[in-house]
Amino acid sequence: MLCGPEAQKQHRPRGWRVFPGVRSDAAQTSLKCLSFCFVSAVSASCPRSSVSNMSPRVAVVTGSNKGIGLAIVQSLCEHFQGDVYLTARDAARGQAAVESLASQGLKPLFQQLDINDLNSITTAAAYFKDKYGGVDVLVNNAGIAFKVADTAPFAVQAQVTLGTNFFATRDVLTHFLPIIRPGGRVVNVSSIAGSMALNQCSPTLQQRFRSEDITEEELVALMQQFVDLAKAGEHQQAGWPGTAYGVSKTGLTTLSMILARRLSKQRPSDGILLNACCPGWVRTDMAGPKAPKSPEEGAVTPVYLALLPPGAAEPHGKFVSDKKVQPW
C-alpha cells in the first residue's frame, strides 16, 4: 500500500498539475470550487423530473393476496423490471401471500391498502409518491360479488357491490392517476358481465354509457341512481337490469373510457395507457370451483395490458378480453 506523497500522486485526477509555491489549503479551496461548479452544471442540466425518473419502476396491484390478484403479482414479479407491490386490506393475509411467493424465489413487496377506506388509499398514494416519485403500473383488481344463492336483499347487494367495485375503485383512481408516471399503464379489472348488463339496459341508458361525451360526474350520478332505485325496488321499471355486479362493472368500464379520454387530453405526451379488461371466468373464492380458467390464466390479459411496451399507442380506453379489444 502506498502512503504519503506517492499515494497522493496515485490518487490525483488525470490532468492534475502541481504548481510550486501553492499551499495545500489553497489547492483544497480550488478543488471545492471546481466541485461546486461541476455539481451546479449537472443540476442545471438535470431537472428534478429527470432525477425522479431515476427511481426504480414500481407496479401496484390492489386486492392481490389471493386469486387473480395474486396470480397477477406473481406474473409481474417474473416479467416486470422493477418493484412489485402486493396489497391487501388485511396486513397479516397480505404478508402471508408475500411469503408464499418468496418461497418460490420471487420478491414482491407489501403495502396495506383497503380500497373501501379513503385514509388507506391516501396513505398508500403518499407512500408511493414519496418513495418512488409515482407509480408506473396500477392494476385495480380488488372487487366483490355476492353468490347467486346469497339471501341478502337486492338493495343491500346493490349498495355493497357498487360501493366496492365502482365507487371505491374510483377513489383509488382519483388519488393514484395524478402520480402515474409518463409511460405508465393502468388496468381496471372489469368483467364481460358489465357488457351483458349494458345490453339489458334501456336504450336511453345504453346510449349514455356508450356516449363519448358522458362525464365522470354524470356516470357517478347514474351509478348512485341505480343504488337508490334498487333500495326502492324500482330499478327494473326504470330501465336497469337485475344484476348489481353487472351494473358495477358497466360503471367501471365506462369510467375507464372516460379517464382514458381525459388522459389523452390533459397529458397527451406522457404515453399513459389506461384500459379495462375481463380476465374470464376464473376459479376463485368469488367465482367458485366450476370456472374453466385457473387464476394464472385469468392473469394473462391484465398482465398483457400492464406490460404493453414503451411507445405503444393502443389499446387505450378500451375493453379487452383474451388480449383482444371487445365491442362496447
Side-chain angles (χ1 to χ4, degrees):
M1 177 179 292
L2 295 174
C3 300
E6 292 301 319
Q8 293 175 13
K9 290 179 182 178
Q10 283 281 22
H11 294 288
R12 287 171 187 156
R14 179 177 295 178
W16 180 261
R17 297 175 62 192
V18 177
F19 295 91
V22 178
R23 294 176 52 186
S24 60
D25 57 346
Q28 291 173 3
T29 302
S30 298
L31 277 171
K32 289 179 181 177
C33 181
L34 286 169
S35 298
F36 173 78
C37 293
F38 174 74
V39 171
S40 298
V42 170
S43 297
S45 61
C46 297
R48 290 184 182 273
S49 59
S50 297
V51 175
S52 67
N53 287 339
M54 295 171 63
S55 301
R57 299 179 72 229
V58 59
V60 180
V61 185
T62 70
S64 51
N65 61 290
K66 62 180 180 179
I68 299 171
L70 183 61
I72 291 171
V73 169
Q74 179 176 345
S75 184
L76 288 176
C77 283
E78 295 168 346
H79 300 105
F80 176 74
Q81 298 299 313
D83 292 344
V84 180
Y85 276 80
L86 181 154
T87 74
R89 59 183 177 181
D90 185 287
R93 292 178 181 177
Q95 291 287 4
V98 166
E99 291 170 9
S100 72
L101 293 179
S103 68
Q104 302 174 39
L106 304 175
K107 299 179 180 180
L109 301 169
F110 177 72
Q111 171 64 35
Q112 192 277 338
L113 176 55
D114 179 356
I115 72 167
N116 286 296
D117 181 346
L118 192 57
N119 287 331
S120 178
I121 294 172
T122 56
T123 297
Y127 168 80
F128 289 111
K129 183 178 181 180
D130 293 343
K131 184 174 178 63
Y132 295 94
V135 171
D136 299 283
V137 171
L138 172 65
V139 181
N140 282 306
N141 169 76
I144 63 169
F146 283 81
K147 303 290 186 183
V148 175
D150 198 297
T151 58
F154 187 78
V156 172
Q157 294 191 30
Q159 182 169 359
V160 173
T161 303
L162 270 75
T164 296
N165 295 355
F166 178 77
F167 290 103
T169 301
R170 174 177 175 254
D171 287 339
V172 174
L173 289 162
T174 296
H175 291 278
F176 272 78
L177 273 187
I179 64 169
I180 297 296
R181 296 199 285 199
R185 305 289 182 253
V186 180
V187 183
N188 295 326
V189 179
S190 189
S191 172
I192 194 69
S195 299
M196 296 169 65
L198 174 61
N199 290 330
Q200 296 170 20
C201 287
S202 68
T204 300
L205 286 172
Q206 289 188 42
Q207 189 277 330
R208 291 316 301 150
F209 285 126
R210 293 190 170 108
S211 173
E212 292 195 359
D213 64 11
I214 185 174
T215 65
E216 184 176 356
E217 292 72 22
E218 181 184 357
L219 175 63
V220 168
L222 285 171
M223 293 293 102
Q224 187 59 52
Q225 178 191 98
F226 172 77
V227 173
D228 293 341
L229 288 168
K231 289 180 180 179
E234 299 173 354
H235 56 286
Q236 289 184 302
Q237 297 96 303
W240 292 91
T243 164
Y245 180 77
V247 170
S248 75
K249 295 302 187 177
T250 300
L252 181 56
T253 300
T254 305
L255 178 63
S256 302
M257 296 174 177
I258 291 170
L259 296 179
R261 288 192 289 267
R262 184 183 301 168
L263 281 170
S264 296
K265 182 178 181 180
Q266 296 181 353
R267 301 177 63 180
S269 61
D270 280 354
I272 298 171
L273 300 179
L274 186 156
N275 292 285
C277 72
C278 177
W281 186 17
V282 179
R283 291 188 296 277
T284 62
D285 290 347
M286 190 169 77
K290 296 182 179 180
K293 282 188 174 184
S294 67
E296 292 73 22
E297 290 170 323
V300 169
T301 295
V303 171
Y304 158 73
L305 293 171
L307 299 180
L308 288 169
E314 291 289 344
H316 179 54
K318 305 297 184 183
F319 176 62
V320 181
S321 181
D322 292 326
K323 300 200 291 187
K324 296 179 180 178
V325 173
Q326 303 298 319
W328 180 246

